[in-house]
Amino acid sequence: MSPRRLMAGARRIDDFGGVTLDGDAIAAAARALDEAERTGRQIRLLSETYAGLTMDDAYAIQTEWVRMKAAAGDPVIGWKIGLTSKAMQAALSIDIPDSGVLLRSMAFDNGAHIAPGRFIQPRIEAEIAFVMRTGLEPEEISAEAILAATDYVAPALEILDTRITRKDPETGRLRNVCDTISDNAANGGIVMGAPVREFGALDLRFVGAIVSKDGDVEETGLGAGVLGDPLVSMAWLVERLAARGDRVEAGQVVLSGSFIRPVEAPPGSHIVADFGSFGQVECHFG
C-alpha cells in the first residue's frame, strides 16, 4: 500500500484556525481542567467561556494541561486518536479525527477493578492498540513502515471521561470538537490485553470485538470502522504531530481509534471486549 493510498481516507491536515488565546487564558483553561479532574466537578464548555475558540487554541490548552501533569510526575506514554468513525464525526460536525495524550496514570491492567470516583462520567470504547518498536517519521508513512515500526498490537479498551460537561448548564449547548480536544480528546484511561506479536499477516480492518456490559452485548464492530483501516488513522496521527513539531516515539502506545459507539460505564459495570482469536480485555468499575 503506497503512502498516497494510505492517507487517502484520512483527509488532509487542515488549517485549525490559529492560536487566538494568550498564554494566560491557555494556562487558566488548563488549570480549570486539572481542578475538574481532581475534584470530580465538571467545568462548563470552554467554547462558551472563550468565544471563537479554535482547534489550535484547543490543542494549546491540551498541551499545557499535559505539561502540568508531566511536571507533577505523570509522564506521557503515548497517544490516542479519536473521532475516527463517520458517526462520531457527524455528531461534532467535523470530517477529520482528533488526538489526545496518554499519561502513565491512565494505564490499567487487564481485568482491573477501578476505584469508585476515579472517573467523572466514564464510557468505554474498543480499539486496537499499537506499541511502537521505533519512532515514526511522516516522510516514511506507509502501511509497511507503520507495521515495521510496531513492536506489537493488542486489544484495548479506552476509558473516556469528561472534565468538561457534555451540555453547557447555562446555554444548553452541546460541546463541540474544540471542547473535546481541550479536554485531552476526552481521554481518561486505557486497558490493554495481551500482546499480539504475530500481526504481519493480519488485515486489521477485519479485527473486531463484541463488547458486553454486565453480560449483555452492547456494541460490535470491526477495525474498518476506523477511517476504513486503523493504519490510516496511524498515518493521520503521524502527519498531525509532525505539523506541530512532535512525533510518535519508540516505546509509546497509540490507541488507533474506536470502532464502536461509546458504552456508558456507571458504577458497578463489568465491561468485556471479546476480540475472538485476537484476545480479550475487560475491566470492572467499583
Side-chain angles (χ1 to χ4, degrees):
M1 186 181 294
S2 70
R4 183 183 298 275
R5 177 69 184 88
L6 187 58
M7 285 304 295
R11 312 268 180 167
R12 68 187 185 277
I13 304 302
D14 288 345
D15 176 8
F16 287 173
V19 176
T20 67
L21 298 181
D22 63 24
D24 289 343
I26 290 168
R31 288 194 300 269
L33 287 167
D34 195 56
E35 183 177 1
E37 183 175 76
R38 286 187 290 101
T39 64
R41 294 193 295 271
Q42 294 171 316
I43 61 174
R44 68 176 305 206
L45 300 183
L46 288 177
S47 59
E48 292 284 7
T49 303
Y50 303 101
L53 188 73
T54 68
M55 281 195 280
D56 280 323
D57 289 328
Y59 277 115
I61 292 167
Q62 179 191 118
T63 297
E64 175 60 14
W65 183 72
V66 168
R67 185 201 66 76
M68 291 169 55
K69 298 284 283 185
D74 195 2
V76 173
I77 63 168
W79 307 89
K80 67 136 313 173
I81 308 166
L83 301 180
T84 53
S85 73
K86 293 288 187 182
M88 294 302 289
Q89 289 181 2
L92 290 176
S93 300
I94 193 170
D95 63 357
I96 57 172
D98 70 355
S99 67
V101 181
L102 300 175
L103 301 171
R104 186 170 62 192
S105 64
M106 296 174 177
F108 294 88
D109 293 334
N110 194 3
H113 288 257
I114 298 168
R118 173 64 176 79
F119 298 108
I120 302 171
Q121 285 185 324
R123 297 182 293 166
I124 290 289
E125 293 182 335
E127 314 199 13
I128 297 170
F130 290 70
V131 179
M132 307 314 299
R133 181 177 59 82
T134 64
L136 281 170
E137 300 292 348
E139 59 268 19
E140 60 187 33
I141 287 306
S142 66
E144 294 78 12
I146 293 170
L147 293 173
T150 301
D151 186 12
Y152 61 88
V153 292
L157 295 173
E158 181 184 358
I159 303 172
L160 301 176
D161 201 18
T162 49
R163 276 95 13 193
I164 298 174
T165 185
R166 298 184 201 173
K167 183 177 181 179
D168 193 81
E170 296 182 27
T171 66
R173 191 171 63 81
L174 298 177
R175 65 182 177 176
N176 65 27
V177 68
C178 295
D179 296 298
T180 300
I181 291 170
S182 300
D183 196 12
N184 197 22
N187 187 25
I190 174 175
V191 186
M192 286 177 56
V196 177
R197 297 186 182 277
E198 300 299 323
F199 59 85
L202 287 176
D203 188 336
L204 297 177
R205 296 175 302 166
F206 293 96
V207 173
I210 301 167
V211 181
S212 301
K213 178 170 69 176
D214 303 330
D216 294 327
V217 174
E218 294 279 343
E219 289 287 337
T220 64
L222 292 173
V226 179
L227 296 179
D229 188 330
L231 294 174
V232 172
S233 70
M234 291 288 290
W236 177 86
L237 177 69
V238 173
E239 294 282 358
R240 196 204 78 75
L241 294 179
R244 285 150 180 79
D246 216 330
R247 69 195 294 266
V248 177
E249 301 284 0
Q252 290 186 333
V253 179
V254 181
L255 284 174
S256 59
S258 178
F259 45 76
I260 66 166
R261 291 177 297 180
V263 176
E264 299 287 346
S269 299
H270 176 206
I271 306 292
V272 179
D274 185 350
F275 286 72
S277 61
F278 197 72
Q280 181 171 297
V281 59
E282 63 184 300
C283 63
H284 307 255
F285 288 87

